[in-house]
Amino acid sequence: MGFTPLAGTRAPVRVWTDPYTIEAQAARQLRNIGALPWVHGVAVMPDVHFGKGATVGSVIAMRQAVSPAAVGVDIGCGMSAVRTSLTAVDLPDDLASLRSAIEAAIPVGFAMREDAVDPRRIRGLEQAGWDDFWRRFGTLDRKVAQLQTRAQRQLGTLGGGNHFIEVCLEQGGPDDGRVWLMLHSGSRNIGKELAERHMAVARGLPHNTDLPDRDLAVFLAGTPEMEAYRRDLWWAQEYARRNRAVMLALLCQVVREAFPRVGYDEAISCHHNYVAEESYDGVDVLVTRKGAIRAGRGDLGIIPGSMGTGSYVVRGKGNPDAYCSASHGAGRRMSRGQAKRTYSTEDLAAQTAGVECRKDAGVVDEIPGAYKDISQVMAQQDDLVEVVAHLKQVVCVKG
């Protein structure tokens, strides 16, 4: 499709959807971001929608600065997936017991583990670096020091909202019917606590007093506030990655117990709320992706739709105009509150027909109708990624 420039901004803001379809609040946010003096440029993904401070579905390249709101509160949130050797014919007609086994192995919603994860007891889990990882907790913002036990007990848990675990079937191609395992989660409460503390610090810094939106407050390179944020940010991004790795290993074990001869390919994992040091146009920048994945040439990524519409495994094309990025999903087209007012549990059951999942009032806000059309989102970014596999869920676990 290619991009359309957003008019009226100091830095270039390139949009991978029709700018006239962007909600007014989100368009205002994008213009505010494009006005910041530190911004090198912005790429706007087709799943764009309004968010706190910075728009969800925005990729912001900054020179010598970073805005914690441009990362979001769920630092390191992202996706993991693995293709199995199973096919649709291996699965039973009734998938309720498989869903129950997943829910028994992986706490969801606000639930925590009774004891911290012992990596040595989880088959297939990366064993390196755990002691050093937890040792570094003591270097984080002192205000979260009392949260270590909670962070340990939440590692390997899903959370709620739009987080999910799925069993999917590949659609079309030579591997039609192949079973994939997929999940979406982030840094749980500890990432949120760290993000909110740093966002509050940034809002109080003198250079942020005249911003069009105080939630866009930035840290500047070479300052103690920036160093403190980056220290906590890198740790929280690693927490999110390890959290998904634990859950994926446990999910693989659940499936292995049901199907002892199952085999697994190499897993795919990608953040979509994070910061990376990259270079574009000969300029070193800090790139924040809030609701966007890295799509460098050859990079594998995962773009989910909703709990009834399926997902895509993609390979990046390395488009520098988009700062080598792509969307993180379908993106919401209505708020959670609006979804609850608009849809009923009967609508949810109809829109998730054929999927073994919750169909109660507690997840109506996640109904497929509350999200944009994932096929249209994919069509709008065909210059950013190519499709490797189209997946359709048959089991969806939500918190």
Side-chain angles (χ1 to χ4, degrees), residues 29-86:
Q29 281 186 327
L30 292 169
R31 287 192 168 89
N32 287 340
I33 294 165
L36 297 179
W38 309 279
V39 172
H40 182 70
V42 183
V44 183
M45 300 295 102
D47 60 340
V48 60
H49 59 279
F50 177 74
K52 182 175 176 58
T55 341
V56 179
S58 61
V59 182
I60 306 170
M62 283 194 179
R63 299 181 301 272
Q64 302 296 304
V66 69
S67 171
V71 181
V73 295
D74 193 358
I75 298 170
C77 187
M79 300 286 303
S80 293
V82 64
R83 189 173 69 166
T84 80
S85 60
L86 303 173

Side-chain angles (χ1 to χ4, degrees), residues 25 27 42 57 152 170 173 183 236 248 253 273 282 289 299 325 381 396:
Q25 282 180 301
V42 183
Q152 290 174 326
E170 190 164 341
L183 60 89
L248 190 62
Q253 183 58 34
N273 286 3
R289 294 184 173 93
D299 288 346
S325 305
Q381 56 185 337
C396 179

Side-chain angles (χ1 to χ4, degrees), residues 65-257:
V66 69
S67 171
V71 181
V73 295
D74 193 358
I75 298 170
C77 187
M79 300 286 303
S80 293
V82 64
R83 189 173 69 166
T84 80
S85 60
L86 303 173
T87 63
V89 296
D90 296 313
L91 300 179
D93 293 334
D94 186 351
L95 294 167
S97 60
L98 180 57
R99 175 187 155 202
S100 295
I102 295 169
E103 292 171 338
I106 302 173
V108 303
F110 292 108
M112 292 185 284
R113 298 186 169 279
E114 292 185 7
D115 299 300
V117 164
D118 181 351
R120 297 167 298 181
R121 301 175 71 91
I122 301 178
R123 179 178 173 180
L125 180 62
E126 171 191 359
Q127 297 295 308
W130 284 96
D131 289 342
D132 177 67
F133 169 70
W134 284 117
R135 192 178 300 115
R136 283 186 282 124
F137 191 96
T139 70
L140 302 180
D141 187 301
R142 59 181 178 80
K143 295 179 181 177
V144 304
Q146 76 280 10
L147 299 178
Q148 182 166 0
T149 298
R150 177 171 181 156
Q152 290 174 326
R153 291 180 60 198
Q154 283 194 319
L155 190 79
T157 68
L158 184 66
N162 61 357
H163 294 168
F164 62 79
I165 299 168
E166 289 182 344
V167 179
C168 306
L169 300 180
E170 190 164 341
Q171 306 291 292
D175 288 312
D176 182 60
R178 184 72 73 90
V179 175
W180 287 70
L181 309 180
M182 178 182 294
L183 60 89
H184 171 213
S185 191
S187 53
R188 306 296 285 109
N189 177 258
I190 189 62
K192 175 179 180 292
E193 293 283 348
L194 288 168
E196 290 180 342
R197 280 165 169 74
H198 287 289
M199 289 166 73
V201 170
R203 282 193 294 266
L205 296 175
H207 61 263
N208 291 318
T209 55
D210 295 326
L211 297 181
D213 182 350
R214 292 296 295 279
D215 283 330
L216 285 175
V218 304
F219 293 122
L220 301 180
T223 64
E225 292 85 4
M226 170 71 102
E227 291 309 307
Y229 177 60
R230 286 169 63 116
R231 175 201 64 212
D232 292 359
L233 174 80
W234 301 145
W235 187 90
Q237 288 180 182
E238 184 177 351
Y239 181 99
R241 180 183 65 80
R242 289 181 181 271
N243 182 43
R244 291 196 300 274
V246 169
M247 285 189 287
L248 190 62
L250 291 171
L251 178 59
C252 287
Q253 183 58 34
V254 168
V255 173
R256 188 180 293 111
E257 289 172 0

